[in-house]
Amino acid sequence: MSINNSPPTPTQLITSITKLLWGKSLPPQLLISTVRSAWSTAWHLMMSQLAPSDPSGSYTRPVSQFRNPNYQQLQPNSLHLYAALPCPWAHRTLIVRALKGLQDAIPVSIASPGLDGSWVFIDSPIPNGDTLILIPTRDKVNGAKTVREVYKSRREGYDGRCTVPMLWDVEKKEVVCNESYDIIELLNSGLNSVARNPDLDLSPPELKKQIDEWNTIIYPSINNGVYRCGFAQSQEAYDTAVNELFNALNIVDDHLKGSRYLCGDNLTLADVCLFTTLIRFDLVYNVMFKCTKKKVVEYPSLHGYMRDIYQIPDVAETCNLEAMMDGYYKFLFPLNPGNIRPVMPSGCDHHALSQTHNRESLSGSRQSVEVLV
């Protein structure tokens, strides 16, 4: 006979107390209503920090504090990129960095979500099998434990939101930029002297107007739209956001029936921005952010388009699907208090994303994809 002298866990203690008080019955209504009220108050408090909202309860994304880097004053060999695998905004920078062939010129440190909502650095062991896929790393240049420590190490200090992606000047110990679109524009056209694919232009002058027009649809209604659904703090705010989201997805899907990419035969920055939301949609947003009206796999054009981009050389290596799911389900506590991660949906794993898409039939040229990349 063995005796277990270890003290009970908090969960075991609470279970014992509830059995003693109520047996197999439900807790009394007063307790349920009290707990519900307390949880609702705590939830709104946490959401006010995680996802600031306007008076209507609609999520308002904070403005990035470091914008518009001066290309002429940058030293390419002094730049370092900070990113994170779950973050779609950081994912943009990883894709453009890969497509332009900047992996050697612009080193990257990849942070992981922390339990307190911050970004932290861990040195992950290289997994067996997919050794090319990006994984979390230590801070390779500053040796910091968190992204906040990097921001605060600026010569002038910093007390604001510490977000990724962030481009860092190693010599000046300064944040160059932490706005994702500014960074991908810089990676696309400002560092050709050190890029392996300098001739690849994801924002050519003749397509700039089209790219801007697509971005006015994609950013507010799709990229930010999924967050406006998930972070809505009123029914009215959610209803508005979800309707705008699926209206925009319908517009894009209809367009892609006759166009390989958003701007014709050429992959552009607009496609990169749309892709990083689509690749997370069925994995996370459909369930966790209540974007439940339809899945990407139910859109024939959008799903094929997503697979097409995923199969461009070097893109799949930036898509750590497991890390994407973990980053939301296991760390966004206000939206998933139990931290239980659902099984990966069918159609979302590497094998399914590698299936034939046949979208080359819509294009007369593989210029930007096969030849240059």
Side-chain angles (χ1 to χ4, degrees):
M1 179 177 179
S2 62
I3 299 176
N4 185 358
N5 292 320
S6 60
T9 65
T11 301
Q12 291 171 332
L13 188 59
I14 292 173
T15 301
S16 299
I17 293 173
T18 56
K19 285 183 177 179
L20 178 64
L21 292 174
W22 304 300
K24 296 182 179 181
S25 303
L26 289 173
Q29 184 176 357
L30 177 60
L31 178 61
I32 294 175
S33 61
T34 301
V35 171
R36 179 173 181 171
S37 177
W39 166 245
S40 178
T41 301
W43 181 81
H44 279 95
L45 179 62
M46 288 187 289
M47 289 297 289
S48 68
Q49 297 298 315
L50 172 68
S53 65
D54 62 22
S56 71
S58 180
Y59 170 57
T60 304
R61 181 171 292 280
V63 177
S64 299
Q65 297 300 305
F66 300 90
R67 298 288 313 269
N68 304 316
N70 188 325
Y71 290 21
Q72 284 70 38
Q73 295 182 2
L74 295 178
Q75 296 294 327
N77 59 0
S78 183
L79 296 178
H80 191 87
L81 179 63
Y82 286 95
L85 301 175
C87 175
W89 316 100
H91 194 184
R92 300 173 171 190
T93 66
L94 294 173
I95 291 175
V96 176
R97 171 179 173 267
L99 293 177
K100 290 290 293 186
L102 289 165
Q103 296 95 321
D104 295 331
I106 310 297
V108 62
S109 294
I110 299 179
S112 299
L115 293 175
D116 61 353
S118 65
W119 294 107
V120 302
F121 294 104
I122 58 174
D123 202 358
S124 301
I126 297 177
N128 294 325
D130 295 332
T131 55
L132 294 179
I133 199 166
L134 291 176
I135 58 174
T137 69
R138 58 182 174 82
D139 178 0
K140 299 176 182 178
V141 67
N142 288 301
K145 295 181 179 179
T146 68
V147 170
R148 177 172 292 280
E149 285 185 21
V150 181
Y151 274 87
K152 290 178 76 68
S153 71
R154 295 177 64 237
R155 291 175 180 173
E156 298 179 9
Y158 183 69
D159 291 321
R161 293 172 70 93
C162 301
T163 59
V164 291
M166 185 263 280
L167 199 60
W168 177 260
D169 189 312
V170 177
E171 290 185 6
K172 296 180 179 179
K173 291 187 72 66
E174 180 59 85
V175 176
V176 175
C177 183
N178 68 348
E179 165 53 47
S180 65
Y181 204 84
D182 291 351
I183 294 175
I184 62 176
E185 285 189 314
L186 171 63
L187 296 177
N188 176 60
S189 60
L191 300 172
N192 283 330
S193 62
V194 293
R196 292 200 307 270
N197 296 320
D199 295 330
L200 174 65
D201 190 353
L202 299 170
S203 185
E206 66 273 16
L207 295 179
K208 190 69 167 64
K209 182 179 178 181
Q210 289 186 57
I211 293 170
D212 290 343
E213 289 172 349
W214 277 116
N215 284 338
T216 61
I217 297 173
I218 292 167
Y219 171 74
S221 299
I222 299 177
N223 295 151
N224 201 42
V226 293
Y227 283 89
R228 289 169 56 215
C229 293
F231 291 166
Q233 296 181 47
S234 72
Q235 186 66 51
E236 293 75 17
Y238 167 78
D239 291 342
T240 298
V242 79
N243 287 330
E244 289 183 14
L245 168 64
F246 284 98
N247 286 340
L249 288 174
N250 288 335
I251 290 172
V252 175
D253 188 63
D254 286 342
H255 174 76
L256 291 174
K257 290 176 183 177
S259 180
R260 183 168 188 183
Y261 302 113
L262 291 173
C263 298
D265 289 349
N266 294 325
L267 185 81
T268 67
L269 294 181
D271 296 294
V272 173
C273 292
L274 178 57
F275 172 80
T276 60
T277 296
L278 295 181
I279 197 70
R280 289 163 174 78
F281 199 92
D282 292 1
L283 289 174
V284 178
Y285 305 142
N286 177 256
V287 176
M288 192 173 184
F289 283 11
K290 308 179 186 70
C291 303
T292 50
K293 189 173 183 179
K294 214 171 179 181
K295 296 180 179 179
V296 169
V297 293
E298 298 175 61
Y299 290 95
S301 298
L302 272 177
H303 192 228
Y305 164 86
M306 182 177 72
R307 299 200 310 276
D308 188 359
I309 296 176
Y310 181 84
Q311 293 172 32
I312 295 173
D314 296 327
V315 171
E317 285 74 19
T318 69
C319 302
N320 189 324
L321 305 173
E322 298 284 343
M324 289 178 194
M325 294 189 72
D326 284 348
Y328 287 89
Y329 288 109
K330 292 188 176 181
F331 293 94
L332 274 182
F333 170 76
L335 299 187
N336 189 33
N339 294 336
I340 296 173
R341 197 195 86 174
V343 66
M344 185 176 292
S346 61
C348 294
D349 60 14
H350 175 72
H351 176 74
L353 292 169
S354 302
Q355 297 302 303
T356 303
H357 51 75
N358 297 319
R359 290 191 58 80
E360 60 273 6
S361 63
L362 296 172
S363 175
S365 170
R366 291 279 292 179
Q367 176 193 354
S368 294
V369 181
E370 284 188 345
V371 177
L372 296 178
V373 178

